Amino acid sequence: MKIVALTGPETAKVSLGGIVKEISIALIDDPKPGDYVVLHVGYALARIDEAEAERTLALLAAEGSDALAEFSAAGEATEAPP
Amino acid sequence: MKHLDEYRDAETARRLAASIHREADTDRRYRLMEFCGGHTHAIFRYGIEDLLPANIEMVHGPGCPVCVLPTGRLDMAIRLAKRDGVILASYGDMLRVPGSKGQSLMKAKADGADIRMVYSTLDALKLAEANPGREVIFFAIGFETTTPPTALAIEAAAKAKLGNFSVFCNHVLTPSAIAAILEAPAVRDLGAVEIDGFLGPAHVSVVIGSQPYEFFAEEYRKPVAISGFEPIDILQSILMLVRQLNEGRAEVENQYIRAVTRDGNLRAKQAVSRIFELRRDFEWRGLGHIPYSALRLKDAYAAFDAERRFDEPYIASEGNKACACPAILRGAKKPTDCRLFGSVCTPETPLGSCMVSSEGACAAYYSYGRMRERTQ
Ligand code: SF4
């Protein structure tokens, strides 16, 4: 969920793939348009930490290529994950 | 969509699954409990178990808020809703949960009780503002994720001197439930599974942080991986647990580090501690009575506490005796072990709470898993 606009001291409009709704931002510090938030029952519970998200994706990018290559090379069609 | 598509990528899933297959030790079993119903749902929806080797077993835990509410508390909500002048505001997934004697909020509504489905506590507050002559009771359920919104609503009502708003509080605490599952003596009586590691909840951990799980890792020597809700998050967390178990470690690792910190959301935790205090005892469906496992309103907010305002007694009730939800919630049984599953009990005609919420194990099995088991 991305904050598209602040609509009051404790409310904001968020968008998820084009669906826009009004939520409460009373539980997060210093929300700004452009922030991605974790939404639950109409309240933003946290802001997504962009730097940590990038670190996670970097870890994921490096994960398992060799293992997958091994499975494919061994031709373990029945054993290898789909 | 950013922060979503990346965690649903099929190629990444294949690579993670390949690592899990390569590293899982074929000489041992890995019984991993996903505590949270959101994870249970995602595991079925994305067919995560199909990607895992046979010796990794996902055990579905009690973290479905609708499922753990005991029938007696639901009966109380139904009785409150039937009182003259009351509007009961409830999250939608409670409406179809069976209470005792075939009752449900839905049936009470059909019989004339004024029950409104709300999406957020803000909607419940608006109902109270719009209906000054009526008593609006918010049926508050859920773990640490829904508690801060309830706290803020009570605070807002107090500030606005909204005299016709109150909360029927059923908020429960995740760490207490995990402790109840791990407490050996209780578990022996109830019959439960041995669990090797935990997938820690996503949203709950956003609020409480990773710190509360450190006790379980240390004291019970069970590794924990706090996991996001998307399929890649779950696979990466499973890999983290496999590695911890292989290396003999029992630590709290945080896969969902993009949203979870060690201390959690301080604003949310402070709001909760301003309004709520621990209840001495609360009954959970499936786990029984757990001391200090739930919250109630502090005395300063007694005027907003529906239990004190309406003096509605709690009458324990077993619900449908043939329903295996209690054992399923402890991970001791699978939905397919229940003889009512899929025949008499379906999401359209639920006999137990686990079949109602999409986070319930029975509903997840029915929607996504049943066909798979049949074809195996
Ligand atoms: S299938 Fe229905 S009756 Fe059986 S355990 Fe699940 S919810 Fe209860």
Side-chain angles (χ1 to χ4, degrees):
Chain A
M1 296 277 169
K2 184 181 178 176
I3 296 182
V4 289
L6 303 182
T7 52
E10 295 194 336
T11 53
K13 278 207 162 72
V14 291
S15 141
L16 179 77
I19 301 163
V20 174
K21 46 177 157 185
E22 175 132 321
I23 63 155
S24 166
I25 44 170
L27 292 170
I28 54 174
D29 289 321
D30 192 25
K32 286 184 288 298
D35 285 349
Y36 283 82
V37 294
V38 173
L39 181 71
H40 195 71
V41 293
Y43 287 75
L45 289 183
R47 189 197 330 269
I48 302 277
D49 183 325
E50 298 283 345
E52 290 294 0
E54 265 164 41
R55 249 194 289 257
T56 301
L57 291 175
L59 261 183
L60 284 168
E63 184 57 63
S65 311
D66 46 341
L68 191 59
E70 247 174 60
F71 278 113
S72 317
E76 288 174 304
T78 48
E79 272 280 323
Chain B
M1 273 168 286
K2 200 181 170 198
H3 297 305
L4 206 63
D5 294 341
E6 305 92 299
Y7 304 97
R8 292 181 180 173
D9 179 60
E11 203 265 331
T12 314
R14 273 193 293 273
R15 285 189 280 107
L16 279 167
S19 284
I20 294 171
H21 274 257
R22 180 164 72 173
E23 293 178 37
D25 181 349
T26 45
D27 291 335
R28 63 176 294 175
R29 280 173 77 194
Y30 300 82
R31 278 155 304 192
L32 311 178
M33 175 178 271
E34 87 276 5
F35 178 82
C36 168
H39 283 146
T40 305
H41 180 84
I43 285 167
F44 281 96
R45 176 167 173 202
Y46 295 106
I48 302 280
E49 286 175 311
D50 294 339
L51 299 175
L52 301 176
N55 58 332
I56 299 185
E57 187 188 335
M58 300 309 295
V59 181
H60 315 305
C64 156
V66 173
C67 307
V68 294
L69 189 76
T71 312
R73 299 289 295 184
L74 179 67
D75 291 346
M76 274 171 92
I78 295 171
R79 292 198 301 270
L80 285 170
K82 286 181 167 171
R83 283 174 179 248
D84 276 346
V86 163
I87 299 175
L88 187 87
S90 169
Y91 290 130
D93 45 6
M94 285 313 299
L95 298 191
R96 297 172 60 242
V97 181
S100 52
K101 301 192 192 87
Q103 275 291 319
S104 72
L105 286 172
M106 193 95 113
K107 285 189 186 136
K109 190 175 158 86
D111 293 343
D114 195 347
I115 296 167
R116 315 272 183 102
M117 204 179 102
V118 292
Y119 165 69
S120 132
T121 56
L122 298 172
D123 300 340
L125 276 180
K126 281 183 201 144
L127 271 176
E129 280 159 9
N131 295 279
R134 311 276 301 277
E135 283 284 349
V136 173
I137 305 175
F138 175 62
F139 185 13
I141 66 146
F143 289 91
E144 290 86 343
T145 49
T146 49
T147 312
T150 305
L152 291 188
I154 292 167
E155 222 160 35
K159 209 169 143 201
K161 301 205 165 47
L162 208 53
N164 65 331
F165 178 80
S166 61
V167 167
F168 175 41
C169 178
N170 296 279
H171 287 301
V172 287
L173 304 170
T174 300
S176 317
I178 296 183
I181 290 170
L182 287 170
E183 285 299 344
V187 164
R188 257 200 307 272
D189 292 348
L190 295 165
V193 283
E194 193 64 31
I195 291 156
D196 300 308
F198 282 94
L199 221 63
H203 288 174
V204 164
S205 307
V206 163
V207 175
I208 68 175
S210 61
Q211 190 272 333
Y213 307 104
E214 290 167 8
F215 172 77
F216 302 114
E218 275 161 37
E219 193 68 20
Y220 297 94
R221 304 296 307 154
K222 303 288 181 195
V224 177
I226 294 167
S227 172
F229 275 137
E230 300 303 327
I232 298 297
D233 292 321
I234 295 173
L235 286 168
Q236 191 181 21
S237 304
I238 291 171
L239 182 59
M240 285 173 155
L241 288 175
V242 166
R243 285 180 179 162
Q244 284 208 49
L245 289 163
N246 287 352
E247 291 162 21
R249 289 183 289 128
E251 296 163 13
V252 178
E253 289 184 308
N254 183 1
Q255 185 277 336
Y256 197 36
I257 195 154
R258 63 187 184 279
V260 173
T261 60
R262 184 167 183 272
D263 293 327
N265 182 333
L266 288 180
R267 252 176 204 262
K269 291 200 296 189
Q270 281 162 359
V272 170
S273 62
R274 285 196 299 272
I275 307 294
F276 295 107
E277 61 188 18
L278 288 172
R279 257 180 219 268
R280 217 163 263 142
D281 176 66
F282 196 76
E283 191 189 345
W284 295 55
R285 191 185 297 225
L287 303 176
H289 289 269
I290 310 177
Y292 301 107
S293 64
L295 299 173
R296 56 177 240 149
L297 277 71
K298 285 184 170 170
D299 286 343
Y301 293 93
F304 298 94
D305 185 347
E307 272 176 89
R308 280 183 259 187
R309 195 142 136 181
F310 299 98
D311 203 18
E312 190 61 69
Y314 176 65
I315 305 163
S317 158
E318 272 193 47
N320 188 328
K321 286 204 184 71
C323 168
C325 279
I328 290 167
L329 287 164
R330 295 192 303 271
K333 275 191 181 172
K334 286 199 156 70
T336 41
D337 295 334
C338 171
R339 59 189 174 78
L340 305 176
F341 176 81
S343 52
V344 191
C345 181
T346 67
E348 286 72 47
T349 54
L351 292 180
S353 57
C354 307
M355 190 58 99
V356 178
S357 163
S358 65
E359 298 191 354
C362 294
Y365 251 72
Y366 188 88
S367 307
Y368 302 109
R370 194 170 53 126
M371 292 309 159
R372 207 186 83 220
E373 296 225 337
R374 291 243 166 106
T375 53
Q376 268 175 3

